[in-house]
Amino acid sequence: MSKETLFVAISNQKGGVGKSALSVVLASYFHFEKGLNVAIVDCDSPQHSLVRMRERDKKAVSNSAYYRQLIKQQWNQVQKKAYPIVGSTAEKAREAADAIAASGDYDLIFVDLPGTVESTGVFRTIVNMDYVLTPTVPDLIVMQSTLSFATTVLDHIKKMENTPLLKDIFFFWNKLKKRTNVEILRSYSEVMRELHLTVLDSTLPDLCRYEKEITHAKRAFFRCTLLPPPARQLEGSGLVELAEELMVKLKLGQS
């Protein structure tokens, strides 16, 4: 390796907060739009939903002249192959990430972890990451779970005899509805800051476009492992703002 690779887990012990969707859209945006070399370790064992998404994307592209043309245009513009997506268990995630990093010149490897820290190997993987990215939503049940996740991880790190690699956990608000009570959002953010948790300024709205994959039946998409989110779909998505903030926090793209 000629550069230091950052290992970032995307994790929250509460399901339905958008971890896997965000893994893909962030990876695709960073890889194709920002010029970073990215990879994903999919720990959603045994179904490996992101590995299967890559397979669906390949099939959709092979069956569509329209998508093949988009792939060709993209190659002419940036000349970058698709980023690797490797299936693993949570227990072996760090080893899988290290193997990817050793095989090329990678800036960033996302590790998409299962939806509970009680799953085998999740703790071990988290403390061996550089950072953890934790999406959450302003819902009492989800917030209780999220705060439990954070305090459990931090307490576990304090008890470790060896110095953990984990530098910080970045929390951010996802799936915000237009009618979300602003005061509730502020109060949750304040509680998290009082606990000395890092809350990003960027937020993502609750938009159906984050669930749109490419298919042979329609052209509209946002989430794809072979193509970046379309420019016209980025407006109002919050993705660009989140990606830019993460680039600063993680010092990505800096020499």
Side-chain angles (χ1 to χ4, degrees):
M1 290 183 293
S2 61
K3 68 175 72 171
E4 181 181 358
T5 303
L6 277 182
F7 301 93
V8 178
I10 300 183
S11 180
N12 191 325
Q13 72 173 12
K14 185 65 177 176
V17 295
K19 298 189 304 297
S20 295
L22 286 167
S23 297
V24 170
V25 293
L26 279 172
S28 295
Y29 184 78
F30 281 139
H31 188 75
F32 297 118
E33 294 292 332
K34 304 304 292 185
L36 301 175
N37 293 325
V38 180
I40 293 178
V41 178
D42 176 9
C43 298
D44 184 25
S45 181
Q47 57 267 31
H48 293 305
S49 58
L50 299 187
V51 172
R52 292 187 179 185
M53 186 187 300
R54 168 59 60 78
E55 294 171 354
R56 291 196 302 273
D57 287 347
K58 286 182 177 179
K59 185 175 181 180
V61 168
S62 67
N63 291 332
S64 169
Y66 172 75
Y67 290 129
R68 290 198 298 274
Q69 182 62 27
L70 288 185
I71 293 288
K72 182 178 179 181
Q73 290 174 358
Q74 174 186 271
W75 174 258
N76 290 336
Q77 290 173 359
V78 300
Q79 295 187 350
K80 291 190 73 175
K81 294 181 179 179
Y83 52 85
I85 301 177
V86 175
S88 175
T89 62
E91 192 172 13
K92 297 293 185 180
R94 178 63 200 225
E95 289 82 353
D98 284 336
I100 294 172
S103 69
D105 203 19
Y106 289 93
D107 298 284
L108 174 64
I109 297 179
F110 284 120
V111 177
D112 184 30
L113 288 170
T116 172
V117 293
E118 294 179 357
S119 297
T120 302
V122 169
F123 260 139
R124 176 178 179 270
T125 295
I126 284 176
V127 298
N128 281 287
M129 294 287 103
D130 292 303
Y131 296 94
V132 176
L133 183 59
T134 301
T136 189
V137 299
D139 173 88
L140 180 58
I141 295 176
V142 174
M143 281 307 305
Q144 288 176 337
S145 178
T146 299
L147 293 177
S148 174
F149 161 80
T151 54
T152 300
V153 170
L154 294 174
D155 287 345
H156 180 78
I157 289 175
K158 290 178 182 177
K159 296 176 183 177
M160 293 182 65
E161 294 182 2
N162 298 322
T163 303
L165 298 177
L166 183 64
K167 299 178 181 68
D168 204 352
I169 303 175
F170 295 138
F171 296 85
F172 70 96
W173 298 107
N174 188 31
K175 297 186 177 183
L176 291 186
K177 300 182 184 298
K178 290 183 179 180
R179 297 182 180 179
T180 295
N181 188 308
V182 176
E183 290 305 316
I184 293 177
L185 187 65
R186 287 176 179 171
S187 65
Y188 282 146
S189 296
E190 184 60 30
V191 168
M192 295 171 79
R193 290 190 175 98
E194 287 178 357
L195 292 172
H196 304 290
L197 304 177
T198 303
V199 183
L200 299 181
D201 294 328
S202 304
T203 62
L204 299 182
D206 187 18
L207 299 174
C208 62
R209 75 185 71 170
Y210 275 93
E211 305 304 319
K212 288 185 177 180
E213 298 182 30
I214 64 172
T215 70
H216 68 280
K218 58 183 179 181
R219 294 183 176 183
F221 72 94
F222 190 74
R223 182 177 66 184
C224 179
T225 67
L226 299 175
L227 292 162
R232 65 183 180 276
Q233 296 283 343
L234 285 172
E235 185 176 353
S237 70
L239 180 64
V240 174
E241 292 79 4
L242 175 61
E244 294 294 338
E245 185 172 5
L246 284 173
M247 288 190 72
V248 173
K249 292 284 189 182
L250 301 176
K251 297 181 174 60
L252 290 167
Q254 300 180 16
S255 56

